[in-house]
Amino acid sequence: MKISVIGAGTMGTGIAQIAATKGHEVCLYDSFSGAIENAKDKLEKILSRSVEKERICSEEKDEILNKINFSKKIEDVNGSSLIIEAIIENLKIKQNIFIDIEDIVDEKCIIASNTSSLSIASIAGVCKYPDRVIGVHFFNPAPIMPLVEIIPAVQTSIETLNTTKSIINNWGKVSVIAKDTPGFIVNRVARPFYGESLRIYDEGIADFATIDWALKEIGGFRMGPFELMDYIGNDI
Ligand code: NAD
């Protein structure tokens, strides 16, 4: 089964790595100059580190890389059964890429968005076949984080939902179905986590380091809110 990923940034590269590791033929496409080269470089480094740590052997590293077509031509997504879009978090730009993709693939191809919080129904709304559009929300770093939120829009067919769920589960991920609402489950919960921490700082109650320390040492979180905001990037 061929899988394509649109956008070779942080998330797209990680998702392509998962799909290739699971044996799929993968097309990783990006339209911006340098993005594809960066993605290939980054993935080579990540896989070399895995070889050094003896998590995989060098043959496996080569196999994974050979499965990925790092492409600057969107036509290369042709023949895919599932396409996962992971470009910039902007509704209009995402809608445009879905329109472009539909001109290339056949009507059975599922087209998913990795959006963190945009409306899947609004993306599906511009498509010829909205029933094949769905949200598939991975977390960063995608190859490591087990959870994937699956978000059917009102237009999404039950076949699209079932097939997507079965692919994601076969990749060893833990999937949860979430309603098509802003932030879905995790980011909805995460907003007050960041927001309250910023407010605590703003009111002069504690500094960044102390708030991070408290959440980790007392609250049992793996990362403090400011550490996490820095890691993800406030733009994202
Ligand atoms: P990123 O900036 O690292 O990568 C985005 C990539 O998309 C870039 O390489 C860019 O060149 C490419 N791109 C932009 N517009 C394009 C277009 N029109 N056609 C083709 N390629 C295009 O971003 P990211 O962090 O990987 O996020 C991608 C998506 O995943 C966003 O919707 C984001 O909300 C979501 N997401 C991000 C995270 C995270 O923690 N970074 C987690 C979950 C979901």
Side-chain angles (χ1 to χ4, degrees):
M1 183 193 287
K2 177 172 169 179
I3 308 283
S4 287
V5 182
I6 311 289
T10 307
M11 296 308 292
T13 306
I15 297 166
Q17 181 190 339
I18 301 168
T21 305
K22 295 294 167 184
H24 296 281
E25 181 197 342
V26 178
C27 172
L28 176 60
Y29 160 78
D30 202 293
S31 61
F32 282 80
S33 120
I36 279 297
E37 290 78 6
N38 286 345
K40 196 170 185 185
D41 240 41
K42 191 178 143 196
L43 195 50
E44 262 175 351
K45 284 194 186 112
I46 288 171
L47 293 172
S48 296
R49 229 176 295 135
S50 293
V51 173
E52 278 162 28
K53 291 187 173 170
E54 296 181 356
R55 288 199 196 112
I56 56 171
C57 60
S58 63
E59 287 78 19
E60 282 173 294
K61 173 193 155 186
D62 294 343
E63 260 172 47
I64 294 168
L65 286 171
N66 288 337
K67 288 236 174 265
I68 305 176
N69 171 18
F70 293 86
S71 171
K72 293 178 191 173
K73 285 192 296 178
I74 193 160
E75 292 74 22
D76 287 347
V77 306
N78 195 7
S80 301
S81 302
L82 169 66
I83 297 183
I84 302 174
E85 166 276 312
I87 65 167
I88 188 170
E89 186 79 337
N90 174 299
L91 180 60
K92 189 78 204 134
I93 301 175
K94 284 192 193 286
Q95 285 172 329
N96 286 340
I97 204 101
F98 272 68
I99 293 169
D100 292 346
I101 294 167
E102 276 206 308
D103 282 340
I104 299 164
V105 296
D106 70 36
E107 64 193 68
K108 286 204 194 99
C109 173
I110 294 173
I111 317 177
S113 176
N114 186 54
T115 177
S116 303
S117 56
L118 297 174
S119 155
I120 304 299
S122 300
I123 299 173
V126 300
C127 292
K128 272 188 276 185
Y129 301 103
D131 56 305
R132 48 110 143 242
V133 174
I134 193 162
V136 172
H137 184 220
F138 287 81
F139 294 85
N140 186 16
I144 292 167
M145 299 297 273
L147 184 67
V148 177
E149 292 174 329
I150 297 182
I151 308 107
V154 280
Q155 304 99 318
T156 308
S157 69
I158 192 76
E159 290 77 19
T160 299
L161 174 60
N162 288 341
T163 308
T164 306
K165 198 174 161 204
S166 123
I167 294 170
I168 298 300
N169 289 349
N170 282 334
W171 289 356
K173 296 294 184 188
V174 176
S175 61
V176 288
I177 311 289
K179 268 201 177 169
D180 187 18
T181 54
F184 316 124
I185 305 169
V186 173
N187 277 326
R188 178 142 176 201
V189 173
R191 291 300 178 266
F193 176 68
Y194 304 127
E196 273 307 300
S197 306
L198 287 161
R199 198 175 281 259
I200 290 168
Y201 172 78
D202 198 39
E203 290 173 11
I205 295 168
D207 61 17
F208 300 141
T210 308
I211 300 167
D212 275 355
W213 170 84
L215 265 294
K216 286 199 285 189
E217 295 301 319
I218 305 167
F221 284 76
R222 289 279 283 276
M223 289 173 94
F226 295 98
E227 211 180 348
L228 194 51
M229 281 186 270
D230 283 345
Y231 177 70
I232 294 168
N234 287 314
D235 54 333
I236 302 291

